[in-house]
Amino acid sequence: EFQDKQIEQEFANAVEQHRVEEIYWVGGEPLMYEQHWRYMSRIIELGDGGQVYARYNTNLSRIEYRGVNLYHDILSHLRDWQICASLDGTGDTGEYIRTGLNYKQWLNNFEQGVGVQKHRRQMRIDFTLTLPGLFEIAQIERLAQQYDCDLLTKVIFSFTPDIVMSPLALPRAVLEPVLDKLLTTVQTVAMRDLLTQLKQRPTFQEQWPDDYPKAVAQGKQRVLKLEQIRGDTFTMNDILQQDSGIYDWWQQIT
C-alpha cells in the first residue's frame, strides 16, 4: 500500500511535473514491471527524454512490451543510459545457474543494445561468480571482448555455510589451486581483482568449522532437490566434472 499510494504516486507526480533527471531501474526484474514501460513512455511523450539519464540492472530477458521496444522507443530518446545486464554463465551452464535464462535470447537482446549504443559504457555485462561459474570465466571474458564492453564482477552473496552455489563452499585446499590456475589465464582487471579478493576471503570451512560438514550436506541436498523439481538433464554433477578436485569434493558430501 505504501509503495502503490505513496512512492509510486510521488514518482508519477515528478514525471508529470517534468522533474525527473535520473532514474535507476532495479529489481526484482525492472523490465517485467508494467510501471517501467508506462512511466518511461510517458517521459518520452512529454518531451522530457532529452534531460533524463536512465540506469538499469536487468537480466535482459525482455526488451519489448506491448509493441514498445526498449532500445528504439525509449532509450534512443534519452540524454544517456546504461544497462548492466546480469549474466552468471553462458550456454547450458548459464541456464543451469539462473532458472529461466534463455541464453540465445539474452545474447540476441544484448547484441541489439550493442548495435544501438553511442558509447561503450552503455552496455555492460554484470557477472556474479558462483561455484559452477568458475568454469565460465573464460567464456564471460571472451563475450566482453567480443562486444567490447566493460565487465562488472562480484561473488554470490552467502551468509550461511549451506550455500553450496558459492565458490567459498570449497575447502581451501580445493579452492586455491583452482583460483591460482584461473589467475594465470584471466584477461580483464575486473576478473583478476575478483579472484584475488576471493583468495583472501575465509572459506565456509574456515568461518564455520563446526557447522560446515552438516551445512554443505544440507546445501547439496537442496541443490539436488531443485534439480529434480526443474527436471534438469544438465546438472551440477555434469558441470563439476570439469575439475577432478572439485568433483571429488562434491561426490564425498553426504
Side-chain angles (χ1 to χ4, degrees):
E1 185 176 358
F2 177 69
Q3 167 109 5
D4 292 340
K5 295 184 178 179
Q6 185 73 30
I7 301 300
E8 189 174 334
Q9 189 57 53
E10 289 180 5
F11 181 55
N13 291 341
V15 169
E16 294 301 322
Q17 295 164 8
H18 312 278
R19 293 191 288 111
V20 175
E21 296 181 8
E22 181 172 344
I23 310 175
Y24 179 31
W25 289 102
V26 66
E29 174 44 49
L31 297 182
M32 292 296 178
Y33 300 162
E34 182 275 336
Q35 292 93 329
H36 161 268
W37 300 93
R38 173 157 42 99
Y39 290 120
M40 293 304 291
S41 296
R42 182 59 175 158
I43 286 170
I44 305 306
E45 183 181 305
L46 290 169
D48 294 331
Q51 73 178 18
V52 173
Y53 175 62
R55 295 183 294 133
Y56 291 78
N57 269 93
T58 169
N59 62 33
L60 217 56
S61 56
R62 164 186 283 171
I63 59 170
E64 289 193 2
Y65 179 72
R66 294 184 176 178
V68 178
N69 181 276
L70 176 67
Y71 300 123
H72 302 296
D73 299 320
I74 294 177
L75 300 186
S76 66
H77 298 281
L78 302 185
R79 174 174 64 83
D80 200 1
W81 51 271
Q82 179 185 130
I83 289 178
C84 294
S86 302
L87 187 69
D88 307 329
T90 63
D92 289 340
T93 301
E95 292 178 356
Y96 174 85
I97 296 170
R98 188 174 286 233
T99 304
L101 170 68
N102 180 324
Y103 179 64
K104 288 184 178 179
Q105 185 64 60
W106 184 96
L107 200 59
N108 180 267
N109 292 345
F110 191 82
E111 285 179 346
Q112 289 186 52
V114 172
V116 301
Q117 70 178 357
K118 295 181 179 178
H119 55 82
R120 69 187 304 274
R121 290 178 63 85
Q122 289 184 317
M123 294 297 295
R124 295 174 157 189
I125 296 175
D126 190 352
F127 173 67
T128 299
L129 178 63
T130 61
L131 173 57
L134 286 169
F135 302 100
E136 288 293 303
I137 287 175
Q139 290 88 330
I140 293 292
E141 286 196 315
R142 193 175 301 118
L143 205 61
Q145 183 179 32
Q146 177 183 347
Y147 293 109
D148 189 28
C149 66
D150 291 336
L151 187 59
L152 308 176
T153 61
K154 59 185 180 296
V155 178
I156 181 176
F157 290 122
S158 48
F159 304 103
T160 55
D162 59 333
I163 310 300
V164 294
M165 286 294 286
S166 171
L168 291 170
L170 295 172
R172 175 73 58 188
V174 177
L175 177 62
E176 280 215 353
V178 175
L179 296 179
D180 288 340
K181 183 177 179 180
L182 287 168
L183 281 166
T184 65
T185 61
V186 292
Q187 303 294 315
T188 61
V189 173
M191 199 69 80
R192 182 174 301 279
D193 288 347
L194 177 73
L195 297 177
T196 300
Q197 292 166 13
L198 189 59
K199 278 190 67 173
Q200 298 167 354
R201 292 177 57 179
T203 66
F204 292 170
Q205 189 177 45
E206 293 165 345
Q207 291 182 76
W208 296 283
D210 296 332
D211 300 332
Y212 177 75
K214 182 179 179 180
V216 294
Q218 291 173 338
K220 179 178 180 179
Q221 288 306 310
R222 187 183 304 120
V223 166
L224 297 179
K225 182 65 174 178
L226 287 171
E227 290 178 349
Q228 183 182 24
I229 291 170
R230 299 190 306 189
D232 290 336
T233 56
F234 183 74
T235 67
M236 182 78 91
N237 214 49
D238 298 311
I239 298 169
L240 300 188
Q241 286 186 52
Q242 297 175 73
D243 182 276
S244 60
I246 296 178
Y247 184 63
D248 288 346
W249 165 79
W250 181 253
Q251 291 296 99
Q252 290 167 13
I253 298 174
T254 56

